[in-house]
Amino acid sequence: DMFFIMERNGYPLQNIWEGYYNYILGANAALDYIGDVNGTEAEKNYVIAQSLGLRAFYYFMLVNHFGAPYNYNKQALGVPLKLDSNLLPEDQLLMTRNTVEEVYNQIVDDLNEAERLFLTLSKDKQYEPNYLVSLPMIQLLKSRVFLYMENWKDAAIYANKVIKDWSFALVDLNNLPSPTVAEPYYNFTSLKSSEVIWLYGSVSDLTVFNDQSVEYEEEGYFGNTTYYREAFIASDNLIESFEDGDLRKEKYIAKEFNKDDEVFYEDSYTTFGKYKLSATGEPSGSENFALSFRLGEAYLNLAEAAAHNNDESTALSALKTLLAKRYEPDKFVEPTGLTGDALKTFIKNERRKELCFEGHRWFDLRRYAVSPKYPETKAITHVIFKPGTSLMDKAPYDRSYVLQPYGEDNAWVLPIPEEELVFNNGVMVDNPERIERE
């Protein structure tokens, strides 16, 4: 059990099953008790719409961690649906897993009702520049959900609503200064950013491994103690995918910082960025959110949905609009003439670059891996470096972690936490056992 093993070994891995169900309980409680509080119908509809939007988002996250991709097997086991805050009677306490299809249907139902309620409100209440769920957040999440369901028509419709019905605007990376020691990175997870629709998540959840520098000493390794990042660095494959003139590599991804010499390491990139960082690469500032729903995703959702709907002109137009804000003007080559699988592959690659370290990549890899609509589906190799290896002189182990194609490997879904299996006394079914790996 990964959650138990990580905790036993002192790693601060969150039990996301427990965490999301705690959040769902909060949303359910708001929905259950809203009728018992004072307020106008409009005020109550505002709270109900937000609660439904949050519950849909939490279930979307759960089912994509613990269930099969929707486009692989809709009847596979997803996660239990609990839609009220009532404690169950003792003889009904045990929970079973709903199917992936049932969970997605509930997500869509919640989002549809949230959208309907938002549309009963005045325009100024449908979106406010605050930290609450809004109508454009609901619309962008619907676009994402429909994309995963391969409902290309509705995915495009809702991406277009986000782009056309609101005043969000793409940030032109050409207008942002290059990172310096004094002012290293632009904060893309702030309401001050014209792209941001909704903010969520704790920075510490993403940086906890990166922040832990560990002493390591080995005879013959420079003869003294050195320091290294405990777990993750940006992959060479990602860094090398950015073409000349693509400003996202330098503006989106934080570089390692040498505190002694007060300089950035040129070619050593971390696994975070986009939120407020100090000169030393540490999170800072009062708007300390890790992730966001932002406009860039809407353009990519539109492009992908249009490409699969044989509307290649719309796909290319969306890509052109987005990428013109990401490249140096004299090095930007418009994506023209792309069709079929070549266009879909191009969009896949752009999603990886544009949305890097924002929580999309793993879910995207899962849906790509199981759908015949996506070309070049294959296994994933994760290169592992020896402890103590300098970031400037990476030395991999003699083997890497290989995730075999979907259907041949069970590690595409997380195991159900052991405590849930024990508590539910055999009624809760775990995901299939994983392959033993060293």
Side-chain angles (χ1 to χ4, degrees), residues 197-216:
I197 298 166
W198 183 60
L199 297 164
Y200 69 100
S202 169
V203 171
S204 61
D205 291 344
L206 298 188
T207 61
V208 64
F209 290 106
N210 294 280
D211 288 345
Q212 294 184 24
S213 295
V214 178
E215 292 188 4
Y216 181 85

Side-chain angles (χ1 to χ4, degrees), residues 37-53:
V37 301
N38 295 325
T40 66
E41 182 180 8
E43 289 171 332
K44 292 182 180 183
N45 285 345
Y46 189 39
V47 174
I48 294 169
Q50 293 179 65
S51 301
L52 290 169

Side-chain angles (χ1 to χ4, degrees), residues 148 351 355 360-369:
Y148 283 37
R351 283 186 70 88
L355 303 175
H360 292 269
R361 181 62 174 169
W362 172 241
F363 290 177
D364 279 345
L365 288 172
R366 282 167 32 96
R367 63 191 182 90
Y368 297 154

Side-chain angles (χ1 to χ4, degrees), residues 147 150-157 301-315 343-344 347 373:
L147 198 73
E150 298 188 350
N151 177 348
W152 312 119
K153 177 183 176 182
D154 286 334
I157 287 172
N301 290 356
L302 175 60
E304 184 175 344
H308 285 281
N309 231 6
N310 298 316
D311 184 2
E312 292 167 345
S313 62
T314 296
L343 176 58
K344 294 168 189 174
I347 295 168
K373 296 180 175 65

Side-chain angles (χ1 to χ4, degrees), residues 155-166:
I157 287 172
Y158 279 95
N160 257 322
K161 286 180 181 292
V162 176
I163 294 168
K164 295 181 178 179
D165 293 354
W166 306 96

